[in-house]
Amino acid sequence: MPLPRTRGTALRQQLAELRGPAVPPKALDARALAALAANPGCERRALLDGAGVDKAKLASALGSPSAFGQSQFAFMRGNAFEARVKADGGAELLRLVHERLDPGAEPPTAGVVPDLSAVGPEGRAARTALALREATAAGVWTLLDHPMLALDVAGSPAFLEPDAVVVHPDGGWTVVEIKSFPMLDGSADPAKVGAAARQSAVYVLALEEVGARLGAEPEGRSAQDGAAVPEVRHRVLLVCPKDFSNLPTASAVDIRKQRAVTRRQLARLTRVEDIAAALPEGTCFSPDLPAADLTTAVESVPATYAPECLSACELAFHCRDRSRADGAVTSLGRSLRAELGGLTTVGDVLAAAHGEAGDPDDPAVAALRRAARLRAEALGARASAAREGVVCR
C-alpha cells in the first residue's frame, strides 16, 4: 500500500498538473513578485505564478501576446556592465559598498567570494544559507555573487536570485542591485529607481527569512560558529553607469517603505492551494491546448484587472479585453474604482447617475447624480446660447 502524500507533495503535484504534462515550471523572480504584491487581489496571477506557468506563452496561445520585455541589446549591455562591476573578485563593488554604506569599517582589501554552485534551486538556496552563516562568523568582507534565496509566497516557495549580497565585517548583510540605466550627476530616473527599490525589497524579505532560520538554529551550533543573528540592512546599494560612461557609480537607497508595503501585500495573498482547490477538475494551462480550452481554464480563475497591469503582467491584454467586455469599473483605474464604492460596472454607474438605480443616500450615487445635473445644465446652457447666436468659449 503506497504511503499517503504529504500536503506539500500533493500541492506540488497539483501545480504540476495545472502547468501541463512535461511542462517545466517558470521561476518566479523578484520583479514578478513586486508586481504580484502590487495587485494582491488577483487570484489569477497568484495561481499562475505560484504554479510556475509561463504567462508569456499562455498569452500568445490565447491570442493576446504581451508587448513588453527587455530588448536583447539592453540585456547584453546589462550583463557586460555587471561583469565589469564584479571584475577582480568584486573589488570595485566592495569599494562602493564600503564608501556608500559602511565607511567606518576597515576598507576591503581582498574580499572573499565563496562558491555557491549546487544542484537545483533548493541546493543552491541551502548552499547560500551556509555561505552566509560562514561569512557572518568570519567577520570579513564577503561577496556572494548571484546567491539563491527562497521566499514563501502564498504557500509555495519562490526562488530568487539577486545580483549580489555583501556581508560586512560586523556581520551585516546588504543587497546589491546592478542596473544598466545611467546615473546622471548623482541621480537616476525616479521611476526606475522606485522599481529597483521594490525589487530589492523582495530580496531583503527573503534574506530576513534566511537570517531568521539561522538565528533559530540550536544554540550549540550557533555558539560554536560564533555567529549572532545577522542584521539585514534596510539600505541597499544601487549600482549604475556614471553619466554616459560605462564606469560604475552607486547610491544608497532606503527601502524600508517598500519592504513594509511588500510584506503587507504578500501576507494578504490568497493561498495558492485554496485557489487551486476551487478549480474545476481537469483544469490545465498548458500552451499546447486549443485556445478555446485555454480560455475556459483561464476564465475559471478570478482576475482583478487594472491599467497598471499593462506594464507588469503578460496576461494584461487578455484581461483588459474581458474587463471591458464585462463593463468592469476597474478597467478605468483603481482610484476610480475606490471612489465608486459598491458600483462595480459602468452600467451600474450610468444607471445611478441617471436616477434609475442606486441608493440616494450613498455618497457615490449622490455625487454622480449631482455631476449628471451639472453636465445637463452646462449642455443646456450651451444649446440655448447656440440657438441665440452667442458663441460660448
Side-chain angles (χ1 to χ4, degrees):
M1 179 178 179
L3 295 174
R5 292 184 298 177
T6 64
R7 183 182 183 186
T9 303
L11 176 61
R12 286 193 293 271
Q13 178 64 30
Q14 186 176 17
L15 296 181
E17 292 171 355
L18 289 175
R19 287 194 305 272
V23 177
K26 179 177 174 58
L28 189 62
D29 58 15
R31 185 175 301 177
L33 271 180
L36 178 61
N39 191 6
C42 186
E43 296 185 8
R44 182 175 297 170
R45 173 148 197 172
L47 177 66
L48 294 177
D49 282 346
V53 175
D54 190 328
K55 298 194 299 299
K57 292 182 179 180
L58 180 60
S60 298
L62 290 169
S64 302
S66 60
F68 71 92
Q70 191 177 35
S71 69
Q72 188 66 22
F73 173 75
F75 183 75
M76 294 174 61
R77 181 182 60 190
N79 284 345
F81 177 68
E82 181 177 338
R84 181 184 184 117
V85 172
K86 295 178 178 178
D88 299 325
E92 179 65 12
L93 179 55
L94 291 175
R95 185 191 68 80
L96 289 171
V97 173
H98 174 263
E99 177 183 298
R100 304 293 185 182
L101 296 175
D102 202 357
E106 287 291 328
T109 54
V112 178
V113 184
D115 180 14
L116 302 179
S117 58
V119 178
E122 294 89 352
R124 290 186 58 200
R127 181 68 188 89
T128 296
L130 178 60
L132 284 168
R133 182 167 63 85
E134 292 174 346
T136 304
V140 296
W141 287 102
T142 304
L143 170 63
L144 274 66
D145 185 8
H146 283 288
M148 182 65 70
L149 307 174
L151 179 65
D152 182 80
V153 179
S156 61
F159 293 99
L160 312 172
E161 189 176 354
D163 293 329
V165 171
V166 171
V167 180
H168 298 245
D170 64 0
W173 300 350
T174 290
V175 170
V176 177
E177 190 68 9
I178 303 173
K179 296 296 185 183
S180 59
F181 56 81
M183 195 173 290
L184 306 176
D185 294 328
S187 61
D189 184 342
K192 294 181 179 180
V193 173
R198 289 189 295 272
Q199 188 173 336
S200 298
V202 177
Y203 296 138
V204 168
L205 290 174
L207 267 181
E208 288 177 345
E209 286 196 3
V210 176
R213 288 195 296 271
L214 294 182
E217 289 181 345
E219 293 184 1
R221 184 175 180 182
S222 295
Q224 179 181 353
D225 295 338
V229 177
E231 174 199 5
V232 182
R233 303 197 175 205
H234 61 257
R235 291 201 304 165
V236 303
L237 190 74
L238 176 62
V239 182
C240 299
K242 182 179 181 180
D243 298 327
F244 298 101
S245 70
N246 200 34
L247 299 175
T249 187
S251 176
V253 180
D254 192 320
I255 52 91
R256 280 178 293 184
K257 178 181 177 181
Q258 291 83 356
R259 171 192 168 280
V261 170
T262 303
R263 176 182 287 277
R264 182 170 65 252
Q265 298 291 52
L266 289 177
R268 291 173 54 191
L269 287 172
T270 305
R271 297 184 65 82
V272 170
E273 57 261 41
D274 296 335
I275 305 174
L279 295 178
E281 187 176 355
T283 299
C284 182
F285 303 104
S286 172
D288 297 330
L289 293 175
D293 295 343
L294 273 181
T295 300
T296 301
V298 169
E299 293 304 314
S300 67
V301 189
T304 306
Y305 170 79
E308 294 83 355
C309 297
L310 291 172
S311 61
C313 182
E314 295 86 344
L315 285 178
F317 290 142
H318 174 82
C319 296
R320 182 184 63 177
D321 293 342
R322 298 293 171 170
S323 181
R324 288 177 174 177
D326 295 339
V329 173
T330 50
S331 63
L332 303 176
R334 292 195 185 101
S335 58
L336 179 61
R337 171 67 185 88
E339 294 289 339
L340 293 174
L343 305 174
T344 59
T345 67
V346 175
D348 292 340
V349 172
L350 294 177
H354 296 153
E356 300 170 358
D359 182 2
D361 296 330
D362 187 335
V365 174
L368 286 169
R369 292 181 180 177
R370 182 172 181 273
R373 287 195 301 269
L374 292 175
R375 180 177 183 275
E377 291 173 4
L379 292 177
R382 185 178 181 88
S384 299
R387 285 193 299 268
E388 296 173 3
V390 178
V391 178
C392 296
R393 295 186 183 275

